[in-house]
Amino acid sequence: MLFDSHAHYNDEKFNEDRDEILSSMRENNVGFIMNSCSSLDEVPGILAICEKYPFVYASAGIHPHEAGDLSETDMDKLKEYAKNPKVKAIGEIGLDYFYDFSPRNIQQKWFARQIDIAGEMNLPVIIHDRDAHKDCMDILRGHHIEKIGGVFHCYSGSVEMAREILDWGMYIAFGGSLTFKKSVRPAEVAKYVPIDRIVIETDCPYLTPEPHRGKRNSSLYIHYVAEKLAQIKEVSVEEIEQATLNNAKKCFGIY
């Protein structure tokens, strides 16, 4: 049974066939899905999906792209959403210096604030880090992430950076980019990270793995990530499947 640890089924790209796709998960060996959140406006729709499909869980948080107009009122709202039993993480939160849709100092402020809220709510975090490795690590270090835990979504850092993340007790997620022909660094990191600290994801509808790159992604393609990971780790696909399932359940407190 596979656990897709990062998906976006509330995305409009699924509007025409969302139910059809989600209804087919069990027969395609997908047992659990974490539907990640980018803004608080998305939470009601995500929770509606979770209510309809018990194997879908939710995170609640504000992506760095959406950080520009935040206030403490939003943080209070986040705390309320986080009380819902289907919400298992605060995320996706972090820094994005590739697009810089929000000023960097503002991204940093609300990233740090949401880490603190995760600590208050006793929930792990889902980290978005794009071209912002140093600042992201500095903030996590300064806000005692080792006491909170969570996962680095779509990991793009180095082996050296991964070493500290693992020392904090966090998990590292690999997705479709691991299957891309020119993705050398993700493969190097995947080889290094112990199997009991890896989770897999699709980030659907984005980052579709080979051989379907260019098409809309879904959890139905997550087996390609598991197969590539098994090849890199030189173990069976079944071992990857079981380990990543157990790891994601442990990370998100799903029993």
Side-chain angles (χ1 to χ4, degrees):
M1 195 72 75
L2 294 158
F3 194 135
D4 185 351
S5 66
H6 198 107
H8 296 276
Y9 281 102
N10 56 296
D11 191 284
E12 63 182 11
K13 291 182 175 65
F14 291 111
N15 284 354
E16 293 186 6
D17 60 354
R18 182 178 294 110
D19 288 328
E20 179 183 343
I21 291 175
L22 288 172
S23 295
S24 71
M25 288 300 161
R26 291 288 176 159
E27 65 193 66
N28 285 281
N29 200 36
V30 179
F32 298 89
I33 295 169
M34 170 58 67
N35 198 109
S36 196
C37 176
S38 297
S39 73
L40 295 183
D41 292 342
E42 294 181 352
V43 177
I46 292 171
L47 291 177
I49 293 171
C50 293
E51 184 175 345
K52 189 168 186 178
Y53 297 96
F55 60 89
V56 180
Y57 292 85
S59 70
I62 300 99
H63 191 286
H65 288 346
E66 311 296 330
D69 297 319
L70 293 178
S71 68
E72 276 301 319
T73 300
D74 296 301
M75 298 302 104
D76 291 339
K77 194 173 183 180
L78 174 58
K79 289 181 193 178
E80 286 302 308
Y81 281 137
K83 294 176 184 177
N84 188 295
K86 291 292 287 204
V87 173
K88 298 296 185 180
I90 300 297
E92 60 185 284
I93 63 174
L95 304 174
D96 194 309
Y97 292 175
F98 181 81
Y99 286 109
D100 276 330
F101 287 161
S102 302
R104 293 184 180 185
N105 64 318
I106 299 298
Q107 291 186 47
Q108 293 163 15
K109 173 184 176 179
W110 295 114
F111 177 33
R113 184 72 181 95
Q114 290 180 91
I115 296 168
D116 291 342
I117 287 173
E120 290 174 38
M121 306 303 293
N122 197 30
L123 289 171
V125 292
I126 298 172
I127 301 298
H128 174 103
D129 166 28
R130 188 165 188 189
D131 289 1
H133 300 328
K134 182 185 185 302
D135 286 351
C136 188
M137 294 293 282
D138 285 347
I139 290 170
L140 290 167
R141 203 178 292 117
H143 288 259
H144 301 289
I145 192 62
E146 74 279 358
K147 297 179 181 179
I148 297 167
V151 58
F152 259 74
H153 149 62
C154 195
Y155 185 75
S156 61
S158 65
V159 167
E160 291 73 23
M161 180 173 152
R163 187 176 293 117
E164 184 170 10
I165 292 167
L166 295 173
D167 286 344
W168 292 334
M170 297 183 75
Y171 294 84
I172 291 179
F174 297 98
S177 60
L178 187 66
T179 71
F180 299 167
K181 291 179 175 64
K182 294 183 179 180
S183 289
V184 176
R185 179 181 274 186
E188 289 176 348
V189 176
K191 192 170 185 65
Y192 168 77
V193 178
I195 197 171
D196 64 350
R197 304 294 287 284
I198 293 173
V199 298
I200 55 177
E201 63 178 23
T202 59
D203 197 23
C204 65
Y206 313 104
L207 287 177
T208 310
E210 299 286 1
H212 299 288
R213 193 173 181 184
K215 300 178 182 177
R216 184 193 65 179
N217 201 4
S218 83
S219 305
L220 300 177
Y221 292 156
I222 195 167
H223 67 94
Y224 292 110
V225 181
E227 289 161 8
K228 182 64 176 181
L229 194 54
Q231 178 186 334
I232 292 168
K233 303 296 278 184
E234 299 181 340
V235 299
S236 68
V237 175
E238 291 75 20
E239 185 173 345
I240 292 295
E241 183 179 313
Q242 190 62 53
T244 56
L245 170 67
N246 293 342
N247 296 343
K249 290 174 75 174
K250 185 176 179 181
C251 177
F252 298 125
I254 297 170
Y255 304 104

